[in-house]
Amino acid sequence: MNDLVRQHTALSDSDLEWLHLLVSEWQLLSDLSFADLVLWVPTLDGTRYVSVAQMRPNTGPTSYQDDMVGHLVPRGRRPLLDAALDEGRIVREGDPEWREEVPVRVESIPVRRDGRVLGVIARNTNLLTVRTPSRLELTYLQSASDLAQMIAAGSFPYPGEQSDMDSLPRAGDGLVRLDADGFVQYASPNALSAYHRLGLAADLVGQHLGQITAELAPSRGPVDEALVKLASGYAPRNFEVEGSGGVIQLRAIPLKPKGSRIGSLVLLRDVTELRRRERELITKDATIREIHHRVKNNLQTVAALLRLQARRMDSDRGREALNEAVRRVGSIAIVHETLSQNLDERVEFDEIADRVIAMVAEISPGKVTCRRNGRFGILDAEVATPLSMVLTEILQNALEHAFAPGEHGTVEVSAVRGEPRADARLLITVRDDGRGLPEGFDPQKAGNLGLQIVRTLVEGELGGTFDMRPGSEGGTKVVLDIPVRPQK
């Protein structure tokens, strides 16, 4: 619609925004009218109309088998469009048109904003299935007529109330027509069923909807006057009401076809099962986060016990082995701590990497500088946990073997995330400027426990590759190439 309006018309951005607002609402008009809607806007030179939007009804057969958007029609070919645009009124005169042996009643509704007519809605009703209308259909048609008059007057749609139109109730979900005082004139079967589930034992017709709704909503104090007013349709609002038996979502639309409110249209939907499933998911998420939190606490307890045991060791090698175990357990605990704060099983690994780097760097405070470049991005938990251990082992190996005690140096961790494709990969490089690798060193055959853990996790669990070689400017370079799921 943006392209068509800007290419063919002289409408401003604010006018275009009004048309977007109208189009976001006009499914309701189409359903209540049982009719197709096509929005025609006059072109820049005023000699033609361009159709910029189209809507088909959910409540009846369509009048257009083809897509009308983008069609250009010269002025004079459709007199009803000309009359509605020039005279600024709803035009219903004329005989039905025949389209592919189907009779179609055509009406034109001017779209007004700030006193100017921006375009015309052609309302096309398929008359092939016309029969004596029921009370429901009569209420629909009367409500559609009121909304059409409000569009022609520039008082509908209501700005600022369109949050997510797809999630709001529609006419077929349940409809209640109120008079000016908030009493129910008509309630559709779906609407009545929704209120029965909420706890209503009687009929809705003749009842004050606001008062009934407030009484059905549980409250320990006096009747909620705000809820009474909302459910009475005095203002355009979207809200939910929860009773002892269910939850209903309501949308109130004041009807002002001639400027003053003559009543309201209340659309409602029974969302009891939807809210129940949402609560189950929230409970499940909370349970998963609590599990991660407890695992983190247990791992920290294990680390503390290992640390206490290390302090009691007389053997330096034994003490160092226990301290290495403490760091390995700590790297896993960091991942679980991050997962305990998330709503899903994915984590921002940059924070984890920084904490792992800080934890390992504690073994050589003030001597070797550790830093990170690039971004790891968001990773799945099944990737983050082994990767945190791998990063811990590589950094620990660099700090222990690349530098002599008290020697100053630098260890740099770089991460490069591939393009967000199904075969995306994460390239991690750990460089140090230390003494380098021993003569004839083969990382694939080294018996060091830390390197064995790295090889097993990278190649076996992560499905990646691991290489360790001399750096181009001295020191050692470790390269990890790991497949990852694309970020969302």
Side-chain angles (χ1 to χ4, degrees):
M1 185 166 75
N2 287 356
D3 294 339
L4 289 171
V5 169
R6 287 168 179 153
Q7 179 182 355
H8 295 285
T9 78
L11 296 182
S12 65
D13 288 343
S14 58
D15 292 335
L16 178 58
E17 185 62 31
W18 182 261
L19 294 185
H20 275 292
L21 194 62
L22 173 65
V23 168
S24 71
E25 289 275 21
W26 71 343
Q27 179 71 65
L28 175 61
L29 178 63
S30 177
D31 290 345
L32 293 176
S33 303
F34 309 99
D36 291 73
L37 306 178
V38 179
L39 177 57
W40 298 91
V41 180
T43 58
L44 184 62
D45 57 10
T47 61
R48 295 180 295 175
Y49 298 97
V50 58
S51 58
V52 298
Q54 179 179 0
M55 179 57 66
R56 292 182 172 90
N58 294 319
T59 52
T62 183
S63 302
Y64 286 111
Q65 298 300 324
D66 300 326
D67 187 0
M68 295 297 296
V69 175
H71 283 217
L72 290 164
V73 174
R75 274 184 67 98
R77 180 173 296 181
R78 299 194 176 183
L80 296 185
L81 293 182
D82 297 339
L85 182 69
D86 298 337
E87 301 173 22
R89 65 180 180 89
I90 299 176
V91 182
R92 295 189 174 93
E93 303 88 43
D95 297 326
E97 298 179 1
W98 287 83
R99 300 174 188 163
E100 300 180 357
E101 300 184 355
V102 175
V104 177
R105 182 175 65 242
V106 181
E107 304 166 85
S108 294
I109 305 167
V111 177
R112 193 183 304 274
R113 175 180 179 263
D114 294 338
R116 296 178 297 112
V117 177
L118 306 182
V120 179
I121 295 176
R123 181 163 56 178
N124 305 269
T125 307
N126 187 324
L127 300 178
L128 196 60
T129 58
V130 169
R131 53 186 171 76
T132 302
S134 65
R135 179 75 187 280
L136 171 67
E137 292 167 330
L138 288 174
T139 303
Y140 271 33
L141 293 171
Q142 180 58 54
S143 301
S145 176
D146 293 335
L147 289 178
Q149 293 182 58
M150 292 168 65
I151 292 173
S155 58
F156 187 82
Y158 292 104
E161 293 302 321
Q162 291 70 24
S163 52
D164 183 3
M165 299 306 298
D166 291 336
S167 66
L168 295 179
R170 299 192 176 187
D173 296 325
L175 178 143
V176 176
R177 173 86 185 212
L178 307 180
D179 64 15
D181 296 321
F183 288 90
V184 177
Q185 294 178 315
Y186 175 79
S188 71
N190 284 346
L192 188 58
S193 296
Y195 264 85
H196 282 168
R197 186 162 189 178
L198 203 62
L200 179 67
D203 192 3
L204 269 176
V205 176
Q207 304 272 13
H208 190 280
L209 188 66
Q211 194 69 34
I212 286 292
T213 304
E215 290 174 359
L216 292 174
S219 175
R220 297 180 180 178
V223 173
D224 188 342
E225 294 297 333
L227 182 57
V228 172
K229 194 165 186 178
L230 284 175
S232 299
Y234 286 99
R237 292 290 185 272
N238 311 315
F239 57 100
E240 285 189 7
V241 175
E242 181 172 359
S244 56
V247 184
I248 59 173
Q249 183 183 37
L250 298 98
R251 182 187 180 201
I253 304 173
L255 297 176
K256 304 176 181 179
K258 296 181 180 179
S260 58
R261 195 174 69 86
I262 63 167
S264 302
L265 202 60
V266 178
L267 307 179
L268 57 95
R269 176 192 298 160
D270 184 347
V271 293
T272 305
E273 293 305 315
L274 177 62
R275 296 296 176 259
R276 182 185 62 80
R277 289 195 296 270
E278 288 177 351
R279 286 167 184 163
E280 287 179 352
L281 288 174
I282 291 172
T283 302
K284 180 182 177 182
D285 289 339
T287 302
I288 292 173
R289 290 201 299 272
E290 178 62 22
I291 290 171
H292 284 303
H293 182 71
R294 293 188 181 188
V295 170
K296 182 264 296 183
N297 288 344
N298 290 339
L299 289 172
Q300 288 180 337
T301 301
V302 171
L305 292 173
L306 291 173
R307 195 176 293 111
L308 287 172
Q309 186 65 43
R311 290 173 184 168
R312 295 175 178 269
M313 293 289 293
D314 295 329
S315 168
D316 291 339
R317 293 185 61 186
R319 186 183 305 109
E320 183 55 36
L322 287 175
N323 285 332
E324 288 181 3
V326 167
R327 285 188 285 271
R328 288 167 185 151
V329 172
S331 66
I332 302 175
I334 290 173
V335 177
H336 282 282
E337 182 179 5
T338 305
L339 288 169
S340 70
Q341 300 167 0
N342 290 350
L343 294 177
D344 56 16
E345 291 292 290
R346 309 196 77 193
V347 295
E348 179 65 62
F349 196 79
D350 295 321
E351 178 186 349
I352 293 175
D354 290 340
R355 294 181 62 181
V356 167
I357 291 171
M359 177 183 68
V360 177
E362 290 179 358
I363 66 175
S364 57
K367 304 299 181 182
V368 179
T369 302
C370 297
R371 60 172 179 259
R372 172 178 64 85
N373 291 321
R375 293 191 68 250
F376 289 85
I378 298 174
L379 299 177
D380 293 332
E382 57 264 29
V383 174
T385 301
L387 183 57
S388 68
M389 285 196 65
V390 168
L391 194 57
T392 299
E393 296 299 333
I394 294 174
L395 289 171
Q396 188 168 292
N397 188 72
L399 292 173
E400 286 184 0
H401 302 293
F403 306 98
E407 185 180 359
H408 291 269
T410 303
V411 177
E412 181 180 80
V413 179
S414 300
V416 178
R417 188 77 177 249
E419 294 295 324
R421 303 190 304 266
D423 58 348
R425 304 189 74 83
L426 176 62
L427 185 66
I428 304 168
T429 305
V430 181
R431 296 183 180 88
D432 66 65
D433 55 2
R435 69 186 70 174
L437 296 173
E439 186 78 24
F441 179 81
D442 185 354
Q444 300 301 327
K445 297 180 180 179
N448 179 286
L449 176 61
L451 291 181
Q452 288 181 6
I453 292 174
V454 170
R455 285 198 302 270
T456 301
L457 292 178
V458 172
E459 297 172 1
E461 194 160 338
L462 296 175
T465 61
F466 160 68
D467 188 25
M468 190 175 188
R469 55 182 180 265
S472 58
E473 299 179 359
T476 303
K477 179 179 179 181
V478 178
V479 179
L480 307 174
D481 188 356
I482 299 169
V484 292
R485 200 172 88 182
Q487 299 185 69
K488 292 184 179 179

